[in-house]
Amino acid sequence: MDDKVIVDNVSVRSVMTKSTLPVGGFSVNPYVGCPHACKYCYASFMKRFTGHTELWGTFLDVKHWEPIKNPHKYDGQRVVIGSVTDGYNPYEEKYCNTRRLLEELRGSTAEIMICTKSDLVLRDIDLLRQFPKVTVSWSVNTLDEQFRADMDKAVSIERRLKAMEQVYRSGIRTVCFVSPIFPGITDVMAIIERVKDFADLVWLENLNLRGQFKGTIMNYIREKHPELVDLYEEIYNRKINDYWQMLEKTTAEYAALHGYPYRVNDLPYGRSEKGKPVIVNYFYHEKIKRG
């Protein structure tokens, strides 16, 4: 845990929020803020609604909510844990908010979907296996640990991949969330090849630069990858989508060549044949259209 992170406590009536995300259901964030401090994090907009003025990644509010008295209220509902925080950030080891949530939902038929960059989720395999439908998704947008370290303070890519494999082998559905894809940096096919034997689904999402972090990322590209400046200017300032259309075409051809099921803007549920993960093209932020 980072001593520089300001930790506070907040009381809320309920931790369950009806989701507006494409995956639907309920969105659950057991914390406000996230110490992973991802430089590209869209969730930094949450500062506007919480009164925080600190830099994103330097504060964490631990939520305290009234216990869920009727877990069956969520039977058959998708419950997404970690849409604007990571429920398994390092402080979860101490505060156990995500584990408490799972314990309160135990006995329901809620479909649990966890989005994380952590291997702490391994602690809760015992609980997760008690739900009829569970998906654990790890964000992996590079195999380069230096680039990862430049972008976030979460655990290493290798630790994420080892956790993914262990969860997969425990019988729980896994997703490799290749997001955000950095043009010219993220090697999509290399990641798929690395995870194909322990990922049921590979979900591809493009980098969408907006808000306060756009300048941060553009400055990073200028400093560390000057050879990509023209490409990023083309995509993010001139709004030319040729790169994404090319990547979409290349990915579809790659999937066909290797016999990987390929979907566009879809999130099918189920386990995949080992070595044949479903590849989902989710380039919806820039409104990419096929063909």
Side-chain angles (χ1 to χ4, degrees), residues 96 98-107 127 131:
C96 296
T98 298
R99 186 168 179 87
R100 173 194 163 189
L101 172 69
L102 293 172
E103 288 172 338
E104 291 182 359
L105 288 173
R106 185 166 45 187
L127 269 172
F131 291 88

Side-chain angles (χ1 to χ4, degrees), residues 153-168:
K153 296 180 181 178
V155 302
S156 69
I157 296 299
E158 194 58 32
R159 283 177 61 178
R160 297 178 207 182
L161 296 179
K162 286 180 179 178
M164 189 187 303
E165 184 170 9
Q166 190 170 336
V167 169
Y168 179 88

Side-chain angles (χ1 to χ4, degrees), residues 1-51:
M1 291 184 285
D2 191 340
D3 292 337
K4 296 179 181 178
V5 174
I6 302 167
V7 180
D8 205 349
N9 296 280
V10 295
S11 295
V12 296
R13 288 195 61 186
S14 174
V15 75
M16 308 291 287
T17 304
K18 193 68 178 173
S19 178
T20 58
L21 295 171
V23 294
F26 287 83
S27 179
V28 184
N29 292 286
Y31 302 92
V32 176
C34 184
H36 291 337
C38 303
K39 287 184 169 62
Y40 50 77
C41 185
Y42 69 91
S44 56
F45 75 88
M46 289 297 294
K47 286 174 34 172
R48 300 199 304 266
F49 306 107
T50 60

Side-chain angles (χ1 to χ4, degrees), residues 4 9 22 33 46-47 53 56 72 80 98 101 115-116 122 127 133 141-142 154 177 239 243 246 270 273 275-276:
K4 296 179 181 178
N9 296 280
M46 289 297 294
K47 286 174 34 172
T53 57
W56 182 254
H72 293 292
V80 181
T98 298
L101 172 69
C115 308
T116 187
L122 294 174
L127 269 172
K133 283 188 175 183
N141 71 344
T142 183
F177 189 30
K239 308 299 181 185
Y243 181 86
M246 176 195 69
E273 177 187 350
K276 300 291 184 183

Side-chain angles (χ1 to χ4, degrees), residues 47-230:
K47 286 174 34 172
R48 300 199 304 266
F49 306 107
T50 60
H52 284 281
T53 57
E54 307 95 325
L55 290 174
W56 182 254
T58 66
F59 65 88
L60 186 77
D61 291 344
V62 182
K63 290 184 179 179
H64 299 272
W65 62 87
E66 296 179 9
I68 297 172
K69 295 178 180 178
N70 179 20
H72 293 292
K73 175 182 177 181
Y74 304 102
D75 282 351
Q77 295 286 332
R78 180 174 285 159
V79 176
V80 181
I81 303 174
S83 58
V84 290
T85 189
D86 190 328
Y88 286 100
N89 71 77
Y91 292 85
E92 166 65 14
E93 188 169 8
K94 176 180 179 180
Y95 294 105
C96 296
N97 265 16
T98 298
R99 186 168 179 87
R100 173 194 163 189
L101 172 69
L102 293 172
E103 288 172 338
E104 291 182 359
L105 288 173
R106 185 166 45 187
S108 75
T109 60
E111 177 187 340
I112 306 298
M113 186 173 201
I114 294 168
C115 308
T116 187
K117 282 185 168 77
S118 175
D119 54 359
L120 182 55
V121 67
L122 294 174
R123 180 200 65 188
D124 292 342
I125 286 179
D126 63 324
L127 269 172
L128 293 172
R129 292 179 68 179
Q130 296 180 44
F131 291 88
K133 283 188 175 183
V134 180
T135 300
V136 184
S137 168
W138 285 266
S139 296
V140 178
N141 71 344
T142 183
L143 298 178
D144 181 344
E145 292 291 359
Q146 182 56 59
F147 178 66
R148 191 281 308 163
D150 287 346
M151 288 294 121
D152 69 55
K153 296 180 181 178
V155 302
S156 69
I157 296 299
E158 194 58 32
R159 283 177 61 178
R160 297 178 207 182
L161 296 179
K162 286 180 179 178
M164 189 187 303
E165 184 170 9
Q166 190 170 336
V167 169
Y168 179 88
R169 293 185 187 282
S170 77
I172 294 172
R173 180 175 181 260
T174 60
V175 171
C176 181
F177 189 30
V178 185
S179 174
I181 295 171
F182 275 72
I185 297 175
T186 300
D187 188 336
V188 171
M189 284 51 164
I191 294 172
I192 295 173
E193 288 300 310
R194 180 70 176 81
V195 305
K196 66 182 181 181
D197 289 330
F198 47 86
D200 291 293
L201 185 145
V202 179
W203 188 357
L204 311 177
E205 185 174 88
N206 54 309
L207 173 66
N208 181 22
L209 289 187
R210 60 190 179 197
Q212 61 186 18
F213 62 81
K214 179 178 180 180
T216 299
I217 297 301
M218 292 299 281
N219 287 337
Y220 174 84
I221 295 299
R222 293 185 189 100
E223 179 183 351
K224 297 292 185 70
H225 293 278
E227 75 282 2
L228 297 176
V229 169
D230 287 347

